[in-house]
Amino acid sequence: MTRRAPGNGAAEGLTLAAALVAFLIGPLPVLVAAGDALLAPGEAWNALADPLLWRRTLSSAAITAAVLALALPAGLLAAWVLARTDVPWPRAWTALLALSLFLPPLVHAISWVSAWRLSGFGAILLVHGVVATPFVALLAMRSLASVSRAQHDTLRLLGGTRAVLLGELRHAWPGASAGAALAAAFVLSDFTTADFLTSVGPKITVAADSIYAHHLGLRSGAAAAAGLPAALAVLAGLALAARDLLRRGSSIRARFEPAPRLELGRARMPVLLGLALLAGAASVAPFASLALSAGSPAAVVRAALKNLDSITFTFATAAASATLGVALATILLALAPRLSRAALFVLACVPLAASPLTSGIGLIRVWNQPELAWAYTGATVVICATAGRYLLIGALPVADGMARIDAGLVDAARLAGAARLAAFGSILEPLLRPAILVGWCLAFAFALRETDAFVMLRAGQSALASRLYANVVFAREDELAALALVFALVCATPLLVLSATHGLRGSRA
Amino acid sequence: MSAPSPAGLAVRELGVRLGSRQVLSAVSFDVNPGEHVVIMGPSGAGKSTLLRAIAGLIAPVAGSIQWEGASWSSGHDLRVPPERRGIGMIAQDLALWPHLTVREHALTTLRWRGFALDERAAEAERLLAWVGLAGLAESRPSQLSGGEAQRLALVRAMAGGTRLLLLDEPFTALDLPLRRALGRESAAIARERGATVLHVTHDPADAERLASRVLVLEAGHLVQFGTVGALRARPATEFTQALFAGSS
């Protein structure tokens, strides 16, 4: 009879429990929503056969393609400059770029409308572009952090600086493609940004408009079906990015020697100018224009005080959601066998690939039960909504950090007598801590800035994003900019945490 | 081949697959307690895989592994997990823990090896003094020279009374004099502690100086197992012949 090691049973039990909770908060609502489409096949088929849905889906796809065409080259180049050259103040530039990612697209949109009255396709492109570029840049920077001195020297000997640039950009590709796939997930499923930016002038409708229209018409099967084409496209993109990410090698060993930074020389001034333009459009401009449009500091303070309950609710639910999501992701990634990690990746992709409106419909169907009223009307459903949806966002840095850790370090711990949980606690977790912090801050930031899913949920109306959207819908322009600035400041908090703890330095974990 | 030895290591018909590739096929051999067996073979012969299977880090697909009469694995079943085999292993890249100091390496290993809290500090000091690392107790692996890092790996591998030491080309990255000196030191330490050693190397001089017997693997098959003299006198393959050609 096979004898089992003490500790292994506990590890397997913990993994199973974590997988179950992850499934309950993640894919289950989406699958329940999809189940509506299966239960009403006629309704779902009519939705899918509707030419209007395909026109709107094509419109979303065109916006996404245009955004990625801008964000991929800009993000890759910014990443290489920040991670691999001697550009001055790399941390400050990185923080400014990241700030843009931490602001909800709706806040970006409000800032550009307030200051410049921008609207239409160009404005949509700009707003999504300034959010997508840091997605690409930050993830590509993490890929570039694993370039070793030996790899750098080999490239230099083969073909000088040109070979270094081309070779290292290829090295950055796994991160960049993951960033692009994630950005695409948000742009394809966007609802509120396009709605707001084309509220004046010719209306541009997107795929999410069809989902919302069916939801308002109480056709939940049709709503789920309408979200299917975009969700499948996002899943395909995430699968391609995962394939690239899983190919990487480990770089966390006792003796990893990072590649030296290249001197910019005469290119320094043009590079600085380019970074200033990018960071200015992405982060400085939104804050400046919102501050100008808000009127006085007193107006901002008034808006903050008036919405103090909402700020507290938003902070608390986002922190709980990030903690739940990242803890689940870390346990699952650390303790599940290598083979089941692919299945876990798919599990985490499902809620992100689905439109937030579809997720919202699923959450209503799962939680709006008489016996679950306590959860549906309170913070629980909000925490589950964002913890499930952003499981992947919190898990990616952890998975990335884990892929960089030489498997031999854990093997050495096992041979030294450590059970799996002990090896995790003493070796893996301390080495992963920076990655866990980054994952937590990202999950926290995305939970803070969530807007579309909260529009669907009754309990989500207490969140700051919903208050802001209500101001947009009811055209309360007197306090729109002030509240958007308050929201922007709230959303910048995780970035401050990351900067204070050096999490954005491109460290080896 | 020697008769089955319940007191040592007994490997029977061992088969290991990695993905779709059969890396080891029907490998059988016995090692007596306290022996220093050198494992040689061309690259890709399955030498490291054999050590990892004995360590329990990969599951075989066939055969069995026994240590001192107790079954460690049989077929697919890993009956004893790696942490309960009492094995020390030094791999080529050493796999030292980058976030722990030299002292913490010793203390952590002793904790996992079941030493009581009040015994650990004294035992750690003794181990570090034994390999000449007492003055570097607060250093991290990145601050150590190649030879110091090897000694730290040896401390970790031997801490807590290891009885089977697996060396997977541990000294390859060092210059020849240091490599040979460390090889001698490790063998002496293992001998002093009565440990059995399985030592993968590409250097025939290691076999000449250290091995009680040499095991030759080619393409996942055990092709010869015997003393250096026996292998030199009757090489079974061209590889074995080339290994000891020119040495006497």
Side-chain angles (χ1 to χ4, degrees), chain A residues 67-96:
Chain A
V67 165
L68 293 187
L70 287 175
L72 260 175
L76 262 172
L77 209 56
W80 189 77
V81 165
L82 290 169
R84 298 288 302 110
T85 72
D86 65 344
V87 67
W89 320 298
R91 285 188 64 195
W93 293 119
T94 308
L96 275 176

Side-chain angles (χ1 to χ4, degrees), chain A residues 294-498:
Chain A
S296 63
V300 180
V301 172
R302 260 201 313 280
L305 290 175
K306 188 176 162 190
N307 293 284
L308 203 55
D309 60 328
S310 180
I311 294 172
T312 312
F313 178 86
T314 306
F315 258 113
T317 51
S321 152
T323 307
L324 177 63
V326 173
L328 287 175
T330 307
I331 292 169
L332 288 171
L333 285 167
L335 300 179
R338 201 167 282 271
L339 202 62
S340 15
R341 286 189 196 161
L344 294 172
F345 186 81
V346 175
L347 183 99
C349 279
V350 169
L352 189 70
S355 154
L357 299 189
T358 308
S359 299
I361 293 167
L363 284 161
I364 294 168
R365 296 269 288 103
V366 171
W367 291 93
N368 191 12
Q369 318 287 343
E371 56 275 22
L372 293 174
W374 59 273
Y376 183 65
T377 53
T380 308
V381 72
V382 172
I383 293 167
C384 289
T386 45
R389 182 156 166 74
Y390 298 122
L391 195 61
L392 186 69
I393 299 278
L396 267 183
V398 181
D400 184 45
M402 218 169 270
R404 286 161 189 261
I405 294 175
D406 181 3
L409 301 183
V410 176
D411 287 347
R414 301 283 316 269
L415 288 175
R420 284 168 75 183
L421 277 176
F424 171 73
S426 298
I427 304 300
L428 209 51
E429 188 276 328
L431 292 171
L432 266 182
R433 213 168 284 158
I436 291 174
L437 177 71
V438 171
W440 190 90
C441 283
L442 285 177
F444 181 53
F446 278 87
L448 280 179
R449 52 167 254 180
E450 177 56 48
T451 308
D452 293 7
F454 290 167
V455 169
M456 309 287 286
L457 294 171
R458 187 175 144 195
Q461 304 307 311
S462 305
L464 207 47
S466 299
R467 296 262 173 105
L468 190 68
Y469 189 63
N471 278 9
V472 167
V473 170
F474 298 113
R476 292 187 204 121
E477 293 193 0
D478 51 329
E479 67 169 37
L480 187 61
L483 189 58
L485 185 58
V486 169
F487 194 17
L489 291 169
V490 164
C491 289
T493 315
L495 186 64
L496 290 176
V497 176
L498 270 182

Side-chain angles (χ1 to χ4, degrees), chain A residues 1-3 5-6 8 252-255 406 408-420 422-423 426-427 430-431, chain B residues 52 55 57 77-84 87 89 93 95-99 109 111-113 141-142 144-146 149 156:
Chain A
M1 204 169 118
T2 303
R3 190 150 53 94
N8 279 6
I252 294 189
R253 307 180 196 113
R255 294 177 164 267
D406 181 3
L409 301 183
V410 176
D411 287 347
R414 301 283 316 269
L415 288 175
R420 284 168 75 183
S426 298
I427 304 300
L431 292 171
Chain B
R52 289 175 64 75
L57 296 171
D77 279 345
L78 282 179
R79 298 186 173 191
V80 179
E83 66 269 22
R84 288 164 58 87
I87 285 177
M89 185 168 178
D93 66 357
L96 297 174
W97 301 310
H99 61 302
T109 306
R111 172 162 57 92
W112 287 334
R113 290 282 194 213
S142 57
L144 302 178
S145 70
R156 186 176 65 185

